[in-house]
Amino acid sequence: MAENGKNCDQRRVAMNKEQHNGNFTDPSSMNEKKRRDREERQNIVLWRQPLITLQYFSLEILVILKEWTSNMCNV
């Protein structure tokens, strides 16, 4: 066994500033992802994607009802 890390086969790899907890976040890829997300949100309208729109509507109603019932129980 090596003393105090001498003769150790492990290497340290230089980390970029944007790298955090092993996740590499490239600024250009983040901008691309934001652009794609924005375009996707703009396309979610009732006449273009009615099923997805109704799904999000239903989920939002469930969240509102859950909040409403929890507020009613706390009164």
Coordinates of all heavy atoms in Angstrom, one line a residue:
M1 N 0.8 -1.2 0.0 CA 0.0 0.0 0.0 C 0.9 1.2 0.0 O 1.9 1.3 0.7 CB -0.9 0.0 1.2 CG -1.9 1.1 1.2 SD -2.8 1.2 2.7 CE -4.4 0.7 2.1
A2 N 0.5 2.2 -0.7 CA 1.2 3.5 -0.8 C 1.0 4.3 0.4 O 0.0 4.4 1.0 CB 0.8 4.2 -2.1
E3 N 2.1 5.0 0.8 CA 2.0 5.9 1.9 C 1.6 7.3 1.5 O 2.2 7.8 0.5 CB 3.3 6.0 2.7 CG 3.7 4.7 3.4 CD 5.0 4.9 4.1 OE1 5.2 6.0 4.7 OE2 5.8 4.0 4.1
N4 N 0.6 7.9 2.1 CA 0.2 9.2 1.9 C -0.1 9.5 0.4 O 0.2 10.5 -0.1 CB 1.2 10.2 2.4 CG 1.3 10.1 3.9 OD1 0.4 9.8 4.6 ND2 2.5 10.4 4.4
G5 N -0.6 8.5 -0.4 CA -0.9 8.7 -1.8 C 0.2 8.5 -2.7 O 0.1 8.8 -3.9
K6 N 1.4 8.2 -2.3 CA 2.5 8.0 -3.2 C 2.3 6.7 -4.0 O 1.8 5.7 -3.5 CB 3.9 7.9 -2.4 CG 4.2 9.2 -1.7 CD 5.5 9.1 -0.9 CE 5.8 10.3 -0.2 NZ 7.0 10.2 0.6
N7 N 2.8 6.7 -5.2 CA 2.7 5.6 -6.1 C 1.3 5.1 -6.3 O 1.0 4.0 -6.5 CB 3.6 4.4 -5.6 CG 5.0 4.8 -5.5 OD1 5.5 5.6 -6.4 ND2 5.7 4.2 -4.6
C8 N 0.4 6.0 -6.2 CA -1.0 5.7 -6.4 C -1.4 5.8 -7.9 O -0.9 6.7 -8.5 CB -1.9 6.6 -5.5 SG -3.6 6.2 -5.5
D9 N -2.2 4.9 -8.4 CA -2.6 4.9 -9.8 C -3.7 5.9 -10.1 O -4.1 6.1 -11.2 CB -3.0 3.5 -10.2 CG -1.8 2.6 -10.2 OD1 -0.7 3.0 -10.5 OD2 -2.1 1.4 -10.1
Q10 N -4.3 6.5 -9.0 CA -5.4 7.4 -9.3 C -4.9 8.7 -9.8 O -3.9 9.2 -9.3 CB -6.2 7.6 -8.0 CG -6.9 6.4 -7.5 CD -7.6 6.7 -6.2 OE1 -7.4 7.7 -5.5 NE2 -8.4 5.7 -5.8
R11 N -5.6 9.3 -10.7 CA -5.2 10.6 -11.2 C -6.3 11.6 -10.9 O -7.5 11.3 -10.8 CB -5.1 10.6 -12.8 CG -4.2 9.7 -13.3 CD -4.2 9.8 -14.9 NE -5.3 10.5 -15.4 CZ -5.5 10.6 -16.7 NH1 -4.7 10.1 -17.6 NH2 -6.6 11.3 -17.2
R12 N -5.9 12.8 -10.8 CA -6.9 13.9 -10.7 C -7.2 14.5 -12.0 O -6.3 14.8 -12.8 CB -6.4 15.0 -9.7 CG -6.3 14.6 -8.3 CD -6.0 15.7 -7.5 NE -5.8 15.3 -6.1 CZ -6.5 15.9 -5.1 NH1 -7.2 16.9 -5.3 NH2 -6.3 15.4 -3.9
V13 N -8.4 14.7 -12.3 CA -8.8 15.2 -13.6 C -9.3 16.6 -13.4 O -10.1 16.9 -12.5 CB -10.0 14.4 -14.2 CG1 -10.5 15.0 -15.5 CG2 -9.6 12.9 -14.4
A14 N -8.7 17.5 -14.2 CA -9.1 19.0 -14.1 C -10.6 19.1 -14.4 O -11.1 18.6 -15.3 CB -8.3 19.8 -15.0
M15 N -11.3 19.9 -13.6 CA -12.7 20.1 -13.8 C -12.9 21.5 -14.3 O -12.3 22.5 -13.9 CB -13.4 20.0 -12.5 CG -13.4 18.5 -12.0 SD -14.2 18.3 -10.4 CE -15.8 19.0 -10.6
N16 N -13.8 21.7 -15.2 CA -14.2 22.9 -15.7 C -15.0 23.7 -14.7 O -15.6 23.1 -13.8 CB -15.0 22.7 -17.0 CG -15.2 23.9 -17.9 OD1 -14.9 25.0 -17.4 ND2 -15.6 23.7 -19.1
K17 N -15.1 25.0 -14.8 CA -15.9 25.8 -13.9 C -17.4 25.4 -13.9 O -18.0 25.3 -12.9 CB -15.9 27.3 -14.2 CG -14.6 28.0 -13.8 CD -14.7 29.4 -14.1 CE -13.4 30.2 -13.8 NZ -13.6 31.6 -14.1
E18 N -17.9 25.0 -15.1 CA -19.3 24.7 -15.2 C -19.6 23.3 -14.7 O -20.8 22.9 -14.5 CB -19.8 24.8 -16.6 CG -19.8 26.2 -17.2 CD -18.5 26.7 -17.7 OE1 -17.6 25.8 -17.9 OE2 -18.3 27.9 -17.8
Q19 N -18.6 22.5 -14.4 CA -18.8 21.1 -13.9 C -19.1 21.1 -12.4 O -18.3 21.7 -11.7 CB -17.6 20.2 -14.3 CG -17.9 18.8 -14.1 CD -16.8 17.9 -14.6 OE1 -15.7 18.5 -15.0 NE2 -17.0 16.7 -14.7
H20 N -20.2 20.5 -12.0 CA -20.6 20.5 -10.6 C -21.1 19.2 -10.3 O -22.1 18.7 -10.9 CB -21.6 21.6 -10.4 CG -22.0 21.7 -9.0 ND1 -21.1 22.1 -8.0 CD2 -23.2 21.5 -8.4 CE1 -21.8 22.1 -6.8 NE2 -23.0 21.7 -7.0
N21 N -20.6 18.5 -9.3 CA -21.1 17.2 -8.9 C -21.1 16.2 -10.0 O -22.1 15.4 -10.1 CB -22.5 17.3 -8.2 CG -22.4 18.0 -6.9 OD1 -21.4 18.0 -6.2 ND2 -23.5 18.6 -6.5
G22 N -20.2 16.2 -10.9 CA -20.1 15.2 -12.0 C -21.0 15.5 -13.1 O -21.0 14.8 -14.1
N23 N -21.8 16.6 -13.1 CA -22.7 17.0 -14.2 C -22.0 18.1 -15.0 O -21.8 19.2 -14.4 CB -24.0 17.4 -13.7 CG -24.7 16.2 -13.0 OD1 -24.6 15.1 -13.4 ND2 -25.5 16.6 -12.0
F24 N -21.8 17.9 -16.2 CA -21.2 18.9 -17.1 C -22.3 19.7 -17.7 O -23.2 19.2 -18.4 CB -20.3 18.3 -18.1 CG -19.6 19.3 -19.0 CD1 -18.5 20.0 -18.5 CD2 -20.0 19.6 -20.3 CE1 -17.9 21.0 -19.3 CE2 -19.4 20.5 -21.0 CZ -18.3 21.2 -20.5
T25 N -22.3 21.0 -17.5 CA -23.3 21.9 -18.1 C -22.6 22.8 -19.1 O -22.0 23.8 -18.7 CB -24.1 22.7 -17.1 OG1 -23.1 23.4 -16.3 CG2 -24.9 21.7 -16.2
D26 N -22.7 22.5 -20.3 CA -22.1 23.4 -21.4 C -23.1 24.5 -21.6 O -24.3 24.3 -21.9 CB -21.9 22.5 -22.6 CG -21.2 23.3 -23.7 OD1 -20.6 24.3 -23.4 OD2 -21.4 22.9 -24.9
P27 N -22.6 25.8 -21.6 CA -23.5 26.9 -21.8 C -24.2 26.9 -23.1 O -25.4 27.2 -23.2 CB -22.6 28.1 -21.7 CG -21.4 27.7 -20.9 CD -21.3 26.2 -21.2
S28 N -23.6 26.5 -24.2 CA -24.2 26.4 -25.5 C -25.3 25.4 -25.5 O -26.4 25.6 -26.1 CB -23.2 26.2 -26.6 OG -22.6 25.0 -26.4
S29 N -25.1 24.2 -24.9 CA -26.1 23.2 -24.9 C -27.3 23.6 -24.0 O -28.4 23.3 -24.3 CB -25.6 21.9 -24.4 OG -25.2 21.9 -23.1
M30 N -27.0 24.4 -22.9 CA -28.1 24.9 -22.1 C -29.0 25.9 -22.8 O -30.2 25.8 -22.7 CB -27.6 25.5 -20.8 CG -26.9 24.5 -19.8 SD -28.1 23.3 -19.3 CE -29.1 24.3 -18.2
N31 N -28.4 26.7 -23.6 CA -29.1 27.7 -24.4 C -30.0 27.0 -25.5 O -31.1 27.3 -25.7 CB -28.2 28.7 -25.1 CG -27.6 29.6 -24.1 OD1 -28.1 29.9 -23.0 ND2 -26.4 30.2 -24.5
E32 N -29.4 25.9 -26.1 CA -30.1 25.1 -27.1 C -31.3 24.4 -26.4 O -32.4 24.4 -27.0 CB -29.2 24.1 -27.7 CG -29.9 23.2 -28.7 CD -30.3 24.0 -29.9 OE1 -29.7 25.0 -30.2 OE2 -31.2 23.5 -30.6
K33 N -31.1 23.9 -25.2 CA -32.2 23.2 -24.5 C -33.3 24.2 -24.1 O -34.5 24.0 -24.3 CB -31.7 22.6 -23.2 CG -32.8 21.8 -22.5 CD -32.2 21.1 -21.3 CE -33.1 20.3 -20.4 NZ -34.5 20.6 -20.5
K34 N -32.9 25.4 -23.7 CA -33.9 26.5 -23.4 C -34.7 26.9 -24.6 O -35.9 27.0 -24.5 CB -33.2 27.7 -22.8 CG -32.8 27.5 -21.4 CD -32.1 28.8 -20.9 CE -31.6 28.6 -19.5 NZ -31.0 29.9 -19.0
R35 N -34.0 27.0 -25.7 CA -34.7 27.3 -27.0 C -35.7 26.2 -27.4 O -36.9 26.5 -27.7 CB -33.7 27.5 -28.1 CG -34.3 28.0 -29.4 CD -33.3 28.0 -30.6 NE -32.8 26.7 -30.9 CZ -33.5 25.8 -31.6 NH1 -34.7 26.0 -32.0 NH2 -32.9 24.6 -31.8
R36 N -35.3 25.0 -27.3 CA -36.2 23.9 -27.7 C -37.4 23.8 -26.7 O -38.5 23.6 -27.2 CB -35.5 22.5 -27.6 CG -34.7 22.3 -28.9 CD -34.1 20.9 -28.9 NE -32.8 20.9 -28.2 CZ -32.5 20.1 -27.2 NH1 -33.3 19.2 -26.7 NH2 -31.4 20.2 -26.5
D37 N -37.2 24.0 -25.4 CA -38.3 24.0 -24.5 C -39.2 25.2 -24.7 O -40.5 25.0 -24.6 CB -37.7 24.2 -23.0 CG -37.0 22.9 -22.5 OD1 -37.2 21.8 -23.2 OD2 -36.3 23.0 -21.5
R38 N -38.7 26.3 -25.1 CA -39.6 27.5 -25.4 C -40.4 27.2 -26.6 O -41.7 27.4 -26.6 CB -38.7 28.7 -25.7 CG -39.6 30.0 -25.8 CD -38.7 31.2 -26.1 NE -37.6 31.3 -25.2 CZ -36.3 31.3 -25.6 NH1 -36.0 31.1 -26.8 NH2 -35.3 31.4 -24.7
E39 N -39.8 26.6 -27.7 CA -40.6 26.2 -28.9 C -41.7 25.2 -28.6 O -42.8 25.2 -29.1 CB -39.7 25.7 -29.9 CG -38.8 26.8 -30.6 CD -37.8 26.3 -31.6 OE1 -37.8 25.0 -31.8 OE2 -37.1 27.1 -32.1
E40 N -41.3 24.2 -27.7 CA -42.2 23.2 -27.4 C -43.4 23.7 -26.6 O -44.6 23.3 -26.8 CB -41.5 22.1 -26.5 CG -42.2 20.8 -26.5 CD -41.3 19.8 -25.8 OE1 -40.2 19.5 -26.3 OE2 -41.7 19.3 -24.7
R41 N -43.2 24.7 -25.7 CA -44.3 25.3 -24.9 C -45.2 26.1 -25.8 O -46.4 26.1 -25.6 CB -43.7 26.2 -23.8 CG -43.2 25.4 -22.6 CD -43.0 26.4 -21.4 NE -42.2 27.5 -21.8 CZ -40.8 27.5 -21.6 NH1 -40.2 26.5 -21.2 NH2 -40.1 28.6 -22.0
Q42 N -44.6 26.7 -26.8 CA -45.4 27.5 -27.7 C -46.3 26.7 -28.6 O -47.4 27.1 -29.0 CB -44.5 28.4 -28.6 CG -43.9 29.5 -27.8 CD -42.9 30.3 -28.7 OE1 -42.5 29.9 -29.7 NE2 -42.4 31.4 -28.1
N43 N -45.9 25.4 -28.8 CA -46.7 24.5 -29.6 C -47.8 23.8 -28.9 O -48.6 23.1 -29.5 CB -45.8 23.5 -30.3 CG -45.0 24.1 -31.4 OD1 -45.3 25.1 -32.0 ND2 -43.8 23.5 -31.6
I44 N -47.8 23.9 -27.6 CA -48.8 23.2 -26.8 C -50.0 24.1 -26.7 O -50.1 24.9 -25.8 CB -48.3 22.8 -25.4 CG1 -47.2 21.8 -25.5 CG2 -49.4 22.2 -24.6 CD1 -46.5 21.4 -24.2
V45 N -50.9 24.0 -27.6 CA -52.2 24.7 -27.6 C -53.3 23.8 -28.0 O -53.0 22.7 -28.6 CB -52.1 25.9 -28.6 CG1 -51.2 27.0 -28.1 CG2 -51.7 25.5 -30.0
L46 N -54.5 24.1 -27.7 CA -55.6 23.2 -27.8 C -55.8 22.7 -29.2 O -56.0 21.5 -29.5 CB -56.9 23.8 -27.3 CG -58.1 22.9 -27.2 CD1 -57.8 21.7 -26.3 CD2 -59.3 23.7 -26.6
W47 N -55.7 23.6 -30.2 CA -56.0 23.2 -31.6 C -54.8 22.5 -32.3 O -55.0 21.8 -33.3 CB -56.4 24.4 -32.4 CG -55.3 25.5 -32.5 CD1 -54.3 25.6 -33.3 CD2 -55.3 26.6 -31.6 NE1 -53.6 26.8 -33.0 CE2 -54.1 27.4 -31.9 CE3 -56.0 27.0 -30.5 CZ2 -53.8 28.5 -31.3 CZ3 -55.7 28.2 -29.8 CH2 -54.5 28.9 -30.2
R48 N -53.6 22.5 -31.7 CA -52.5 21.8 -32.3 C -52.2 20.5 -31.6 O -51.9 19.5 -32.3 CB -51.2 22.6 -32.2 CG -51.1 23.8 -33.1 CD -49.8 24.4 -33.1 NE -49.8 25.7 -33.9 CZ -49.0 26.6 -33.7 NH1 -48.0 26.5 -32.8 NH2 -49.0 27.7 -34.5
Q49 N -52.3 20.4 -30.3 CA -52.1 19.2 -29.5 C -53.2 19.1 -28.4 O -52.9 19.3 -27.3 CB -50.7 19.2 -28.9 CG -49.6 19.2 -30.0 CD -48.2 19.1 -29.3 OE1 -48.1 19.4 -28.2 NE2 -47.3 18.8 -30.1
P50 N -54.4 18.7 -28.8 CA -55.5 18.7 -27.9 C -55.3 17.7 -26.7 O -55.7 18.0 -25.6 CB -56.7 18.4 -28.7 CG -56.2 17.8 -29.9 CD -54.8 18.3 -30.2
L51 N -54.8 16.5 -27.0 CA -54.6 15.6 -25.9 C -53.6 16.0 -24.9 O -53.8 15.8 -23.7 CB -54.3 14.2 -26.5 CG -55.3 13.6 -27.4 CD1 -54.8 12.2 -27.9 CD2 -56.6 13.4 -26.6
I52 N -52.5 16.5 -25.3 CA -51.5 17.0 -24.3 C -52.0 18.1 -23.5 O -51.8 18.2 -22.3 CB -50.2 17.3 -25.1 CG1 -49.6 16.0 -25.6 CG2 -49.2 18.0 -24.1 CD1 -48.3 16.2 -26.5
T53 N -52.7 19.0 -24.2 CA -53.3 20.2 -23.5 C -54.3 19.8 -22.5 O -54.3 20.3 -21.3 CB -53.9 21.1 -24.6 OG1 -53.0 21.5 -25.6 CG2 -54.5 22.4 -23.9
L54 N -55.1 18.8 -22.8 CA -56.1 18.3 -21.9 C -55.5 17.6 -20.7 O -55.9 17.6 -19.6 CB -57.1 17.4 -22.6 CG -58.1 18.2 -23.5 CD1 -58.9 17.2 -24.3 CD2 -58.9 19.2 -22.8
Q55 N -54.4 16.9 -21.0 CA -53.6 16.2 -19.9 C -53.1 17.2 -18.9 O -53.2 17.0 -17.7 CB -52.5 15.3 -20.6 CG -51.7 14.6 -19.5 CD -50.5 13.9 -20.1 OE1 -50.3 14.0 -21.3 NE2 -49.7 13.3 -19.3
Y56 N -52.4 18.2 -19.4 CA -51.9 19.2 -18.5 C -53.0 20.0 -17.8 O -52.8 20.3 -16.6 CB -51.0 20.3 -19.3 CG -49.7 19.7 -19.7 CD1 -49.1 20.0 -21.0 CD2 -48.9 18.9 -18.9 CE1 -47.9 19.6 -21.4 CE2 -47.7 18.4 -19.3 CZ -47.2 18.8 -20.5 OH -46.0 18.3 -20.9
F57 N -54.1 20.2 -18.4 CA -55.2 20.8 -17.8 C -55.7 19.9 -16.6 O -56.0 20.4 -15.5 CB -56.4 21.1 -18.8 CG -57.6 21.6 -18.2 CD1 -57.8 22.9 -17.7 CD2 -58.7 20.7 -18.0 CE1 -58.9 23.3 -17.2 CE2 -59.9 21.1 -17.4 CZ -60.0 22.4 -17.0
S58 N -55.9 18.6 -16.9 CA -56.3 17.7 -15.8 C -55.4 17.7 -14.7 O -55.8 17.6 -13.5 CB -56.5 16.3 -16.4 OG -57.4 16.3 -17.5
L59 N -54.1 17.6 -15.0 CA -53.1 17.6 -13.9 C -53.1 18.9 -13.0 O -53.0 18.8 -11.8 CB -51.7 17.4 -14.5 CG -51.4 16.0 -15.1 CD1 -50.1 16.0 -15.8 CD2 -51.5 14.9 -14.0
E60 N -53.3 20.0 -13.7 CA -53.4 21.2 -13.0 C -54.6 21.3 -12.1 O -54.6 21.8 -11.0 CB -53.4 22.4 -14.0 CG -53.2 23.8 -13.3 CD -51.9 23.9 -12.6 OE1 -50.9 23.3 -13.0 OE2 -51.8 24.7 -11.6
I61 N -55.7 20.8 -12.6 CA -57.0 20.7 -11.8 C -56.8 19.9 -10.6 O -57.2 20.2 -9.5 CB -58.2 20.2 -12.7 CG1 -58.6 21.2 -13.7 CG2 -59.4 19.8 -11.8 CD1 -59.1 22.5 -13.1
L62 N -56.1 18.7 -10.7 CA -55.8 17.9 -9.6 C -55.0 18.6 -8.5 O -55.2 18.5 -7.3 CB -55.1 16.6 -10.0 CG -56.0 15.6 -10.8 CD1 -55.2 14.4 -11.3 CD2 -57.2 15.1 -9.9
V63 N -54.0 19.3 -9.0 CA -53.1 20.1 -8.0 C -53.9 21.1 -7.3 O -53.8 21.3 -6.1 CB -51.9 20.7 -8.8 CG1 -51.2 21.7 -7.9 CG2 -51.0 19.6 -9.3
I64 N -54.8 21.8 -8.0 CA -55.6 22.9 -7.4 C -56.6 22.3 -6.4 O -56.8 22.8 -5.3 CB -56.3 23.7 -8.5 CG1 -55.3 24.5 -9.3 CG2 -57.4 24.6 -7.9 CD1 -55.9 25.2 -10.5
L65 N -57.2 21.2 -6.8 CA -58.1 20.5 -5.8 C -57.4 20.0 -4.6 O -58.0 20.1 -3.5 CB -58.9 19.4 -6.5 CG -59.9 19.8 -7.6 CD1 -60.5 18.5 -8.3 CD2 -61.0 20.5 -6.9
K66 N -56.2 19.5 -4.8 CA -55.5 19.0 -3.6 C -55.2 20.2 -2.7 O -55.3 20.1 -1.4 CB -54.2 18.3 -4.1 CG -53.4 17.8 -2.9 CD -52.1 17.1 -3.4 CE -51.3 16.7 -2.3 NZ -50.0 16.2 -2.7
E67 N -54.7 21.3 -3.2 CA -54.4 22.5 -2.4 C -55.7 23.0 -1.7 O -55.6 23.4 -0.6 CB -53.8 23.5 -3.3 CG -52.4 23.2 -3.7 CD -51.8 24.3 -4.7 OE1 -52.6 25.2 -5.1 OE2 -50.7 24.1 -5.1
W68 N -56.8 23.0 -2.5 CA -58.0 23.5 -1.9 C -58.5 22.6 -0.8 O -58.9 23.2 0.3 CB -59.1 23.5 -3.0 CG -60.4 24.1 -2.6 CD1 -60.7 25.4 -2.4 CD2 -61.6 23.4 -2.4 NE1 -62.0 25.5 -2.0 CE2 -62.6 24.3 -2.0 CE3 -61.9 22.0 -2.5 CZ2 -63.9 23.9 -1.7 CZ3 -63.2 21.6 -2.2 CH2 -64.2 22.6 -1.8
T69 N -58.4 21.3 -0.9 CA -58.9 20.4 0.2 C -57.9 20.5 1.4 O -58.4 20.4 2.5 CB -59.0 19.0 -0.3 OG1 -57.7 18.6 -0.9 CG2 -60.1 18.8 -1.3
S70 N -56.6 20.6 1.1 CA -55.7 20.8 2.3 C -56.0 22.1 3.0 O -55.9 22.1 4.2 CB -54.3 20.6 1.9 OG -53.9 21.7 1.1
N71 N -56.3 23.1 2.3 CA -56.6 24.4 2.9 C -57.9 24.3 3.7 O -58.1 25.0 4.8 CB -56.7 25.6 1.9 CG -55.3 25.9 1.4 OD1 -54.3 25.7 2.1 ND2 -55.3 26.5 0.2
M72 N -58.9 23.6 3.2 CA -60.2 23.5 3.9 C -60.0 22.7 5.2 O -60.7 22.9 6.1 CB -61.2 22.8 2.9 CG -61.6 23.6 1.8 SD -62.4 25.2 2.3 CE -64.0 24.5 2.8
C73 N -59.1 21.7 5.2 CA -58.9 20.9 6.4 C -58.2 21.7 7.4 O -58.3 21.4 8.6 CB -58.2 19.6 6.0 SG -59.1 18.5 5.0
N74 N -57.4 22.6 7.1 CA -56.6 23.4 8.0 C -57.4 24.5 8.7 O -57.0 25.2 9.6 CB -55.4 24.0 7.4 CG -54.4 22.9 7.0 OD1 -54.4 21.9 7.6 ND2 -53.6 23.2 6.0
V75 N -58.6 24.8 8.2 CA -59.4 25.9 8.7 C -60.1 25.6 10.0 O -60.3 24.6 10.5 CB -60.5 26.4 7.7 CG1 -61.4 27.4 8.2 CG2 -59.8 26.9 6.4

